[in-house]
Amino acid sequence: ETGVTQTPRHLVMGMTNKKSLKCEQHLGHNAMYWYKQSAKKPLELMFVYSLEERVENNSVPSRFSPECPNSSHLFLHLHTLQPEDSALYLCASSQDWGSGSSYEQYFGPGTRLTVT
Amino acid sequence: GQNIDQPTEMTATEGAIVQINCTYQTSGFNGLFWYQQHAGEAPTFLSYNVLDGLEEKGRFSSFLSRSKGYSYLLLKELQMKDSASYLCAVSDSNYQLIWGAGTKLIIKP
């Protein structure tokens, strides 16, 4: 049990659908992250939230829209995705972000997304 | 650009020792992490090095040389459950983690 949960675990969606991924952390952390993991590629950081404020957005297409309503919850809203967006989407949290220190990240199990 | 290099795949025998290398070129350095990821599961934290030298944690050890931009993860007394991918990640000047593509470790009986 990592303390970070993600739903759904698997998602198949058409290119015209709208869906949302949900992440919840039970660790009392202040920072949350969305990553994309494709086969044999490095983890790609998509978004970082610190104390519910977005602090990083690594040139992610607008068809991905994050939302952080509070420090425990993080959403990734998806619309008009492309087949190349098929990947494992991982959520993570850490005690803090930046602040002069590097922090261990705790990951959720991921959502396996397939875009048809 | 920023780059993390690690071997794509390694094979080792149960009970043996294996060393997984990681070299990096990043804008700034605020520490290096190793994570383990079993197939279909979340990455889990193994170690963190920010100063040069060896950190030992049970069967796993991690080494860092900042001057060489080099780290390794050493796994001793290999067990079948150690079959997994091992991810190297460097915290850059902005405290953003730059990740390697991971090394898939296959353990054979």
Side-chain angles (χ1 to χ4, degrees):
Chain A
E1 177 58 53
T2 65
V4 181
T5 58
Q6 289 186 244
T7 55
R9 294 294 308 275
H10 300 272
L11 178 63
V12 179
M13 59 186 289
M15 290 166 53
T16 58
N17 291 160
K18 289 185 180 180
K19 296 285 185 184
S20 295
L21 310 185
K22 179 183 176 182
C23 174
E24 184 173 0
Q25 59 98 358
H26 311 273
L27 301 168
H29 288 167
N30 293 322
M32 296 187 76
Y33 311 77
W34 279 117
Y35 284 96
K36 176 183 179 182
Q37 187 174 37
S38 303
K40 300 185 180 180
K41 288 187 177 180
L43 281 171
E44 298 174 46
L45 179 64
M46 301 175 73
F47 303 102
V48 180
Y49 277 82
S50 177
L51 296 171
E52 302 151 47
E53 295 289 326
R54 189 191 305 181
V55 294
E56 284 286 337
N57 175 358
N58 285 358
S59 303
V60 179
S62 60
R63 57 186 183 267
F64 295 91
S65 174
E67 179 189 359
C68 187
N70 55 62
S71 59
S72 298
H73 293 86
L74 187 64
F75 294 88
L76 188 63
H77 304 299
L78 316 171
H79 64 97
T80 59
L81 294 190
Q82 304 298 310
E84 60 264 30
D85 297 323
S86 298
L88 181 68
Y89 288 84
L90 289 165
C91 173
S93 70
S94 65
Q95 181 182 333
D96 278 299
W97 185 85
S99 304
S101 294
S102 297
Y103 297 95
E104 170 191 347
Q105 294 182 16
Y106 294 75
F107 286 83
T111 295
R112 174 67 61 185
L113 174 67
T114 303
V115 181
T116 60
Chain B
Q2 308 203 88
N3 194 49
I4 310 286
D5 283 317
Q6 47 181 135
T8 302
E9 186 174 299
M10 299 182 70
T11 301
T13 304
E14 190 177 15
I17 299 173
V18 70
Q19 177 175 310
I20 302 174
N21 296 325
C22 171
T23 58
Y24 62 88
Q25 291 177 309
T26 56
S27 56
F29 179 84
N30 282 303
L32 185 145
F33 293 84
W34 284 97
Y35 282 79
Q36 180 191 60
Q37 186 176 24
H38 285 101
E41 297 184 12
T44 54
F45 170 79
L46 287 178
S47 66
Y48 172 67
N49 295 67
V50 67
L51 299 176
D52 289 352
L54 187 68
E55 295 275 345
E56 296 186 77
K57 204 186 275 188
R59 294 189 298 114
F60 293 8
S61 302
S62 56
F63 171 84
L64 174 67
S65 168
R66 288 173 296 172
S67 62
K68 295 182 179 178
Y70 167 70
S71 172
Y72 67 72
L73 181 69
L74 190 71
L75 291 74
K76 302 176 185 175
E77 302 169 15
L78 285 170
Q79 302 175 9
M80 297 303 293
K81 67 178 182 179
D82 298 329
S83 292
S85 288
Y86 291 85
L87 312 179
C88 173
V90 172
S91 178
D92 71 6
S93 57
N94 295 318
Y95 299 96
Q96 178 172 316
L97 286 188
I98 311 301
W99 295 82
T103 299
K104 182 178 181 180
L105 178 63
I106 300 168
I107 310 297
K108 295 185 174 179

